[in-house]
Amino acid sequence: MRSPAFARAPAPKLRLPILDAYLLREVAGPFGFALGAFFLFWFANIFVLAADYLVNKGAPLFLVLRFLLFRVPQATPLAFPFASLFGTLLGFGRLMADNEINALRTSGVSFLRIIRLPVLAGAAVAITSFLVNEHIAPIATDLSTRSFYQILYRSQTLPLEPDIFRADPSSGNVFYIQSVAADGKTMQNVQIYQPDRTSPFRQILTAKSARIEGTEIVLEKPDIARIKADGTVSALSVSGTEMRISLPMGDNGQNFLSSSFNDTFTMDSKRLAQDIKFRKQTGQGGTDLAGRELTLGGKYAYPFASFIAVIVAVPLAVRFGKRGRMLGVVLSIVLLFIYYGLVALAGAFGRNGSIDPYLAAWLPNIILAAVGGFLIWREDR
């Protein structure tokens, strides 16, 4: 038995310095309030659209709530930057109004030391926002969309949307599926358009029934129409056997049929980057490609705006904090409009090719970061 004299001392607990913990508490309250308020506003805005189904069409309350709740994560790229801006402005504004910032600086604490943890917290919020938007929002949006169709068609299970169109950027194939059975694999009335990239004719495959096996769609006895470049039909035949066609980008059935995994705004960045890569390899360009590149840049730039919001808000709160909290609220709204005004303007230039789409996505962050960095530098002097 070990002697008490040589007993291992308990490991010290990790604790934030008193100053950092105090500053974090001041900012966390307004941040949590703003984040909750933004999500509540988003929820209420969608509820206005869903109320008709609840009141006039007898939709079950459970399905309506599921549709609404799963739609909320879509607001993450907007909610977190606003909450960071609001929380920092009000938290540091209160500290400045009570002369606590001045007292710290008078006692020898530098301005950069004071803002260190809030800035790091802004970076952590940005990472959290990206992860939620990347991994949770696509799945939640898909469940929300399927819940809406369950309300619409009064089905017992989560259905898949009808009249599905999908495009394969690598092969140029375009898929149309009229309806999908409840098993998520069996499809009715399927058409596949195949361009003339590797043959002198275009081809249209039509099947009354098809199914998904792994990463392929299996057409059952499809009709095959071959069309020449001048539009005339060169051959029309009926296949007596099954025909297998690869799904876009090696998809499985669930991703192929999901609307959220095929919408540029809700799919994750890895999938969108792969889609852009295939389109460039096959010579597809124009405004559609620029729009996809702009969306991909935004998937990183929008969450990073939470970090930029802290950099801008800290010096503004110190400069105007003594004028009251209402000014902090007003500044939050004004800065939010300025940011999204810059997003819209840069996006327009990115789509028409005047500037690189990826630069266009990041340009509002770059501008505001430069302004915030300059104000911090002046405040620290």
Side-chain angles (χ1 to χ4, degrees), residues 83-99:
S84 298
L85 183 66
F86 186 91
T88 306
L89 280 171
L90 264 68
F92 269 77
R94 206 283 302 168
L95 293 171
M96 192 64 192
D98 292 345
N99 288 316

Side-chain angles (χ1 to χ4, degrees), residues 100-109 111 114 318 379-381:
E100 294 184 42
I101 299 293
N102 290 336
L104 286 170
R105 299 179 74 174
T106 302
S107 63
V109 182
F111 185 68
I114 294 172
V318 171
E379 197 64 42
D380 188 54
R381 292 183 63 185

Side-chain angles (χ1 to χ4, degrees), residues 73-77 127-139 265-269 298-300 302-303:
Q74 245 187 336
T76 299
I127 294 171
T128 303
S129 176
F130 173 77
L131 293 176
V132 170
N133 194 49
E134 186 80 357
H135 300 291
I136 297 176
I139 298 172
F265 292 99
T266 53
M267 69 173 66
D268 60 55
S269 59
K299 288 183 180 294
Y300 294 94
Y302 289 161

